Amino acid sequence: MLRTQPTTSLLIKSLIIFFSILIQYPAIAKEGMWIPATIKDHEKEMKSMGLQIPIEQLYNKSGTGLNNAIVLFGKGCTGEIISSKGLILTNHHCGYGSAQGLSTAESDYFANGFWAMNLQGELPCKGLTVTFIRRMENVTSQVLEGLADTLRDSFRDTVVALRIAALEKEFKTKTGLDASIKPYFDGNQYWVAITETYRDIRLVGFPPNGIGAFGGDVENWMWPRHTGDFSLFRVYAGADNKPADYAATNKPYTAEQFFNINVSGYKEGDFTMVYGFPGTTKEYISSFELSNVYNITDPISIEARTRRLDIWTKHMSWTRTIFLKYTSKRAGVANGWKKWQGEMLGLKANNVIGKKQAYEKTFQQWADTSKSVLYAAGILPQMRTAAEIATPLLTQEQYIKEAVLGIELVQQGAAFDNVIACFRLGLSQDGLRDTLTKLVTGMEGFYKNYDPPTDRDVFISMMVLYFNKCTSWIPDEFKDQYRAHDQDVNAWAADVYKTSMLTSIAQLKDFAANAKAGDSTKLQADPAWRLYNAIATMRKQKITPVLKDYTSRMRYLDRLYTNAQMQQFKNKTFYPDANLTLRLTYGQVKGLDPEGAAKYSFQTNLKDVVALNDTTVDIFKVPKKLKELYAAKDYGRWGVNGTVPVAFVASNHTSGGNSGSPVLNAKGELIGTNFDRAYEGTMSDYYFDPTRCRNISVDIRYTLFIIDKFGGAGWLVDEMNIVKAKPTTSTKAKK
Ligand code: ARG
Ligand code: GLU
């Protein structure tokens, strides 16, 4: 439609209106991971973005908020309660360890999945716990009272630790629950969380890997995604509904708060929230430290892991035995490897270091004239000096960690230190043999998943890398061994793996069973241990003390820097870096289009999954039953337009630890489970860019379809509260 030119005054007026809207609601995709007890401050903005419930439903002081429906699952994931009977939904990769503990050759849950058909069928998971956050309180004044900002950490830490211990004790007595106090904003604030940890947790449902880990490492950290990355557990409690050790008589936990599930779907632009436990972010990091990440730690780790993964992958393709030994190790090593590549890409594309430097310039200008924070002017110069001293050592440290200790045999030398120490205890011969045998038996787990020829190839590759990159830092022992083999790394490797006792548990057991006083010299002659020992000694003498100093110096300066920035921008609402405490983040359903090519939608579906089916590649093998359900369009109540939605992307600010977190709509109803971020935006741990950063979630309808139609466990759906009505969104409609 053609418009007439507005008059100048009209133009100015509309510009003013436009900018005032912009100022009020800056970016609609929203950076920040907020402490639940502070979200009242965000109510206005969240409502403007689409929130339709009173903010108190998400968290309130009287303890009836939806925070009670979220748990820290195990040590580093999130789970949500989805029924009044304590049913927990989390990720498949978060339940993986528990499923492994329960799997046997006869009942292989990775191949076949697991579905309890009634409460009696649910399987106790030894060692698994979940923690509820009942309430949070700002205790900064009690912890920091009378302590000057610039007080050295050595003294400050002692006082703070004593006060925390006393306060925690007081909270425990007062509430009858657990209490844990943690630092926020680099130690400028302290919050207490009143918690309850349940320790009888049972496995309820676990899709086979063909669904729960579909796409494996290839699709990991990527959008589009096709993984049904979910599993189900249940909290059990004693007769009083309180935490109890496992007992057959325990009962499903009665949950006062749990998530209603909305199956009416969402569209691009809809308001979403993710409520969970992000682990570590560093959004206020200085350009100096970020340069070290970008120029040293990330690239060296990627360089060394690329080589290691190539070798592992090659050997794993040769035999099933090697595949099984290395598949889980490989997944862990590859997860970081891929994430850091995405991180570097994003940091570069956004010129984040340049942006930080520009920001630091304005900070310095303010600091030079600041009357409110007298120490501010000295912070950045001190950081620069500290970083300059540490930089060369960080390079060495990273090559040692990723290249030298990436050789499993050398890393295994560390375990040998304890064996050698036994000889100094002056034990009787029987005592010595007994102690050694016990130590060696403890290494069985490692050797079960160890293949010396694979590791020997890693040795060759890593030593070449190390010798090339670390020249003047190479310990003499390394050079001596290399020279003794006429500088032929292949011959050197062959000899080490032939001679070292550390290559097999059988040799170690034999040694332990026949050991005599004085045999420690045999160990000290072992070429693999000698390499480990040379590296450990050099580290201890030349690297660790400097890096320790650097870390504690930076910790101190980071605290002052964060505090100064908060003083500089008094009107800005800062959010604390992630620290594995409960946080709420909000954004909207949003497709990912980093190249502007509009290639992918914001959602994938079952049709896409089936299209990827490849029976020759394990991670892309769609289970037979799933294919049958698809062919028959037998989707039960969960189908939409002839298919089932599988995964979707949104612009919520999440991090590692948010795996398994509930993804909520404008009414606080569950629409999905978070499980990953997109490659283009993994730099969000340092810098959040709403145009590239996306969290990836399983659509709740895929979860329900798999439970109900694939697993045949409809009895679980019956205990959930399923809502069909669409929330009446959206922001645009309201404006
Ligand atoms: N990238 C996700 C996270 O950081 C998922 C990891 C598990 N999946 C995998 N293919 N390794 O934890
Ligand atoms: N997969 C991650 C986790 O285990 C979540 C992905 C992320 O880092 O955002 O927590």
Side-chain angles (χ1 to χ4, degrees):
M1 191 173 65
L2 254 173
R3 284 173 194 249
T4 48
Q5 279 299 100
T7 64
T8 318
S9 75
L10 234 176
L11 179 71
I12 290 173
K13 253 190 223 156
S14 36
L15 277 179
I16 291 172
I17 294 171
F18 175 66
F19 279 114
S20 63
I21 291 173
L22 264 191
I23 291 163
Q24 234 180 325
Y25 312 123
I28 199 116
K30 189 60 197 178
E31 162 178 3
M33 316 170 148
W34 307 98
I35 301 174
T38 67
I39 52 169
K40 185 77 182 160
D41 301 344
H42 299 263
E43 185 169 21
K44 208 166 142 205
E45 185 182 56
M46 288 167 78
K47 290 235 155 121
S48 82
M49 288 175 68
L51 180 73
Q52 290 181 21
I53 50 171
I55 200 104
E56 288 75 16
Q57 281 187 27
L58 295 168
Y59 178 90
N60 63 58
K61 274 195 191 146
S62 40
T64 56
L66 280 169
N67 56 294
N68 290 293
I70 301 160
V71 290
L72 176 69
F73 184 90
K75 297 210 164 59
C77 276
T78 304
E80 55 272 18
I81 306 290
I82 54 170
S83 86
S84 63
K85 296 182 187 134
L87 191 60
I88 309 174
L89 175 59
T90 186
N91 287 153
H92 191 266
H93 77 263
C94 295
Y96 213 80
S98 300
Q100 180 160 37
L102 294 164
S103 276
T104 59
E106 298 77 55
S107 44
D108 180 342
Y109 301 143
F110 298 126
N112 311 316
F114 168 79
W115 305 100
M117 286 306 156
N118 47 43
L119 289 175
Q120 291 70 41
E122 300 180 349
L123 306 175
C125 301
K126 223 175 151 199
L128 181 61
T129 60
V130 304
T131 300
F132 290 89
I133 310 301
R134 301 301 186 193
R135 197 158 56 79
M136 293 185 77
E137 216 175 280
N138 190 333
V139 291
T140 311
S141 57
Q142 292 101 300
V143 176
L144 295 184
E145 194 192 357
L147 299 180
D149 290 345
T150 47
L151 197 64
R152 292 284 158 215
D153 279 340
S154 47
F155 176 69
R156 185 183 148 112
D157 285 351
T158 317
V159 178
V160 165
L162 285 171
R163 289 183 182 173
I164 285 180
L167 270 172
E168 283 179 347
K169 203 169 146 195
E170 205 180 300
F171 275 108
K172 283 180 197 169
T173 318
K174 207 161 68 185
T175 61
L177 305 174
D178 283 339
S180 121
I181 296 177
K182 279 199 177 188
Y184 292 70
F185 294 107
D186 294 305
N188 287 294
Q189 278 189 19
Y190 284 83
W191 288 75
V192 65
I194 308 297
T195 66
E196 259 184 304
T197 298
Y198 282 77
R199 40 190 200 277
D200 182 355
I201 312 301
R202 305 187 193 173
L203 181 68
V204 176
F206 190 83
N209 282 8
I211 291 170
F214 186 78
D217 282 341
V218 174
E219 284 209 345
N220 194 19
W221 297 115
M222 303 272 248
W223 181 254
R225 193 63 160 277
H226 308 88
T227 321
D229 195 343
F230 80 91
S231 60
L232 294 165
F233 289 78
R234 194 186 299 279
V235 193
Y236 279 75
D240 53 358
N241 210 31
K242 290 281 165 195
D245 287 331
Y246 168 80
T249 50
N250 283 348
K251 303 208 161 45
Y253 166 75
T254 304
E256 301 266 349
Q257 285 84 22
F258 57 90
F259 286 103
N260 293 332
I261 293 172
N262 191 305
V263 293
S264 63
Y266 43 81
K267 57 187 185 320
E268 200 156 14
D270 278 359
F271 179 70
T272 56
M273 302 175 276
V274 178
Y275 210 168
F277 292 86
T280 315
T281 59
K282 289 194 139 214
E283 311 286 345
Y284 307 102
I285 192 173
S286 68
S287 65
F288 316 110
E289 289 157 283
L290 189 60
S291 297
N292 285 339
V293 174
Y294 183 76
N295 294 310
I296 301 176
T297 29
D298 277 6
I300 295 175
S301 310
I302 295 165
E303 181 186 25
R305 287 188 185 203
T306 303
R307 290 170 170 242
R308 182 149 52 124
L309 288 165
D310 278 351
I311 293 164
W312 280 1
T313 309
K314 190 170 76 190
H315 283 256
M316 283 162 72
S317 73
W318 292 340
T319 74
R320 184 75 188 163
T321 322
I322 299 178
F323 175 87
L324 289 174
K325 284 178 183 217
Y326 280 83
T327 178
S328 153
K329 277 193 267 201
R330 195 191 178 287
V333 170
N335 198 38
W337 170 79
K338 197 162 178 185
K339 176 185 163 182
W340 298 322
Q341 292 175 65
E343 188 167 281
M344 288 187 68
L345 188 98
L347 290 173
K348 185 165 180 200
N350 282 281
N351 184 24
V352 179
I353 295 176
K355 285 197 176 103
K356 291 261 174 205
Q357 285 163 341
Y359 173 81
E360 283 162 10
K361 220 180 229 166
T362 62
F363 173 83
Q364 192 62 46
Q365 280 162 3
W366 168 82
D368 286 340
T369 55
S370 166
K371 303 229 158 41
S372 57
V373 190
L374 296 176
Y375 55 76
I379 298 173
L380 290 173
Q382 289 184 62
M383 280 187 169
R384 177 194 299 274
T385 313
E388 274 167 8
I389 296 171
T391 300
L393 287 132
L394 280 172
T395 305
Q396 295 309 317
E397 177 73 357
Q398 206 59 21
Y399 275 113
I400 290 174
K401 276 205 224 151
E402 291 286 338
V404 180
L405 298 178
I407 305 166
E408 292 173 271
L409 190 68
V410 178
Q411 170 72 61
Q412 191 55 9
F416 234 39
D417 268 1
N418 300 331
V419 174
I420 291 174
C422 286
F423 285 90
R424 290 187 225 115
L425 296 175
L427 300 167
S428 69
Q429 180 154 304
D430 284 347
L432 179 70
R433 289 177 181 181
D434 186 48
T435 310
L436 289 177
T437 301
K438 281 204 184 98
L439 266 178
V440 168
T441 308
M443 299 177 196
E444 270 169 353
F446 168 77
Y447 285 101
K448 186 171 153 273
N449 292 326
Y450 180 62
D451 180 58
T454 302
D455 194 39
R456 190 185 53 218
D457 280 0
V458 172
F459 180 100
I460 294 167
S461 177
M462 292 299 131
M463 286 305 187
V464 170
L465 180 66
Y466 184 56
F467 273 67
N468 278 339
K469 299 290 172 140
C470 296
T471 46
S472 61
W473 284 81
I474 316 264
D476 287 342
E477 176 69 28
F478 281 58
K479 290 193 246 171
D480 292 347
Q481 289 198 20
Y482 183 48
R483 272 195 222 108
H485 294 87
D486 300 327
Q487 311 207 5
D488 174 350
V489 69
N490 294 308
W492 177 21
D495 193 33
V496 169
Y497 284 76
K498 198 174 83 201
T499 332
S500 174
M501 200 191 296
L502 284 167
T503 53
S504 86
I505 188 97
Q507 290 181 75
L508 289 172
K509 280 189 172 161
D510 188 54
F511 172 80
N514 301 298
K516 304 184 293 296
D519 272 359
S520 65
T521 52
K522 280 192 202 156
L523 302 178
Q524 279 158 341
D526 191 286
W529 180 78
R530 292 183 68 87
L531 291 173
Y532 169 77
N533 187 52
I535 271 295
T537 308
M538 179 184 71
R539 233 172 151 188
K540 199 155 63 198
Q541 289 169 351
K542 292 210 259 178
I543 300 179
T544 313
V546 183
L547 290 185
K548 234 171 129 181
D549 256 20
Y550 168 67
T551 313
S552 65
R553 187 96 199 112
M554 277 303 185
R555 188 172 151 243
Y556 173 73
L557 293 169
D558 280 344
R559 173 163 62 73
L560 299 186
Y561 186 39
T562 301
N563 189 33
Q565 292 177 71
M566 291 170 85
Q567 303 300 323
Q568 183 190 3
F569 298 103
K570 277 220 155 44
N571 294 327
K572 179 178 161 187
T573 320
F574 284 78
Y575 62 91
D577 274 329
N579 60 355
L580 207 63
T581 59
L582 187 60
R583 303 293 178 89
L584 182 89
T585 170
Y586 50 97
Q588 53 190 179
V589 176
K590 207 162 175 5
L592 177 63
D593 192 17
E595 298 124 34
K599 263 198 298 218
Y600 312 125
S601 145
F602 61 94
Q603 197 181 53
T604 55
N605 62 58
L606 189 56
K607 190 165 158 238
D608 305 326
V609 174
V610 175
L612 283 169
N613 179 42
D614 181 345
T615 49
T616 65
V617 184
D618 253 355
I619 54 173
F620 285 108
K621 231 182 252 176
V622 177
K624 187 163 155 275
K625 180 154 182 203
L626 188 55
K627 282 191 278 190
E628 287 165 6
L629 290 167
Y630 175 73
K633 299 224 178 317
D634 185 5
Y635 306 142
R637 301 144 67 188
W638 322 112
V640 181
N641 302 329
T643 184
V644 184
V646 169
F648 65 100
V649 260
S651 62
N652 299 286
H653 189 179
T654 56
S655 189
N658 269 125
S659 271
S661 299
V663 184
L664 310 173
N665 67 9
K667 288 194 164 155
E669 296 157 342
L670 192 70
I671 56 171
T673 306
N674 185 74
F675 71 101
D676 211 1
R677 270 176 294 167
Y679 192 73
E680 290 76 3
T682 53
M683 86 293 193
S684 66
D685 291 348
Y686 299 107
Y687 177 81
F688 185 85
D689 171 4
T691 64
R692 317 169 57 98
C693 293
R694 294 291 177 273
N695 66 304
I696 306 177
S697 311
V698 198
D699 190 298
I700 196 66
R701 291 164 293 186
Y702 193 50
T703 299
L704 294 169
F705 162 69
I706 296 296
I707 296 172
D708 183 15
K709 302 300 291 188
F710 181 88
W715 72 283
L716 294 169
V717 179
D718 293 342
E719 67 178 81
M720 303 174 197
N721 201 3
I722 312 257
V723 184
K724 228 173 154 154
K726 270 194 205 308
T728 50
T729 21
S730 71
T731 332
K732 280 183 209 128
K734 263 197 268 169
K735 268 190 198 160

